[in-house]
């Protein structure tokens, strides 16, 4: 697990001594312990010449004072400037992520539209298939109707033919009967009766 990074520095005293140093001495020596230890240690090092106060010491002291002054006076401005730069950088990163997210969202919407179009194409194909089936059904029924008409015409022809043959046979039969009857006529009265029968037979033949 990553440790949390401090956004603000820890508390210090005298510009560079951490607050934890004083907290450590409070439990042992009280409030004056840290200062007494620092003064006593410094006096011991200087008096025994373990630490010689040369010109580099004063240069370092001057540099330390300048650093403390710079941190106190210029630190907040520099921190604000750097925070502003960090915010701008973070905003740029967020803008990039937002643009990428918008692009992905647009891609998803485009994909959904393509899927909807594909479903429309499937519906169109099904409609065309049904249209072809309807055309095949119409053609099938048309052929059935054509076959029905052909059969009906053939049956009508056969019926008409049988009717003509029957009428011809009846006519021939009537002519044969008339011929036979005419040949057997002997008197005028019989001839008149036969003429009447012939007329009746003609009427029947026409019926």
């Amino acid at each position: 697990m990553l440790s949390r990074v401090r956004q603000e520095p820890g508390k210090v005293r005298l510009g560079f001594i951490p607050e934890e140093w004083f907290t450590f001495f409070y439990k042992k020596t009280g409030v004056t312990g840290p200062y007494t230890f620092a003064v006593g240690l410094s006096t011991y090092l200087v008096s025994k010449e373990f630490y010689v106060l040369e010109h580099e010491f004063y240069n370092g002291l001057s540099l330390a004072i300048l650093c403390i002054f710079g941190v106190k006076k210029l630190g907040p401005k520099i921190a604000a400037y750097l925070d502003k730069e960090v915010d701008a950088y973070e905003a740029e990163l967020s803008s990039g992520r937002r643009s990428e997210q918008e692009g992905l969202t647009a891609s998803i919407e485009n994909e959904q539209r393509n899927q909807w179009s594909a479903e429309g194409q499937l519906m169109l194909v099904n409609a065309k298939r049904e249209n072809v089936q309807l055309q095949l059904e119409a053609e099938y029924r048309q052929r059935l109707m054509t076959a029905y008409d052909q059969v009906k015409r053939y049956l009508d022809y056969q019926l008409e033919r049988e009717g003509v043959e029957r009428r011809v046979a009846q006519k021939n039969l009537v002519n044969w009967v008339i011929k036979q009857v005419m040949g057997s006529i002997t008197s005028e009265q019989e001839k008149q009766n036969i003429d009447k029968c012939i007329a009746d037979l003609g009427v029947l033949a026409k019926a």
Side-chain angles (χ1 to χ4, degrees), residues 74-88:
L74 301 178
K77 296 181 180 179
I78 296 176
Y81 172 76
L82 293 178
D83 289 339
K84 184 178 179 182
E85 292 293 325
V86 170
D87 292 338

Side-chain angles (χ1 to χ4, degrees), residues 162-176:
E162 290 179 0
V164 171
E165 290 178 352
R166 186 172 59 252
R167 286 195 297 270
V168 170
Q170 289 177 354
K171 184 177 180 181
N172 290 335
L173 179 61
V174 169
N175 290 334
W176 181 79

Side-chain angles (χ1 to χ4, degrees), residues 62-131:
S62 301
L63 182 61
I65 294 172
L66 290 176
C67 290
I68 294 172
F69 178 80
V71 169
K72 293 296 184 180
K73 297 298 182 179
L74 301 178
K77 296 181 180 179
I78 296 176
Y81 172 76
L82 293 178
D83 289 339
K84 184 178 179 182
E85 292 293 325
V86 170
D87 292 338
Y89 181 71
E90 184 178 358
E92 184 178 357
L93 290 179
S94 300
S95 177
R97 288 195 298 269
R98 191 179 301 108
S99 299
E100 184 178 359
Q101 183 178 4
E102 292 176 355
L104 293 175
T105 303
S107 299
I108 292 173
E109 293 177 354
N110 189 21
E111 181 65 23
Q112 290 177 349
R113 284 195 298 269
N114 291 333
Q115 292 179 2
W116 179 77
S117 299
E119 292 177 358
Q121 291 294 328
L122 291 177
M123 293 176 62
L124 181 61
V125 170
N126 292 331
K128 289 183 178 180
R129 185 180 292 112
E130 292 178 358
N131 190 16

Side-chain angles (χ1 to χ4, degrees), residues 150-165:
Q150 293 293 332
V151 172
K152 185 176 182 301
R153 288 176 58 188
Y154 177 75
L155 294 178
D156 291 341
Y157 168 75
Q158 293 295 330
L159 181 63
E160 185 67 23
R161 179 181 176 184
E162 290 179 0
V164 171
E165 290 178 352

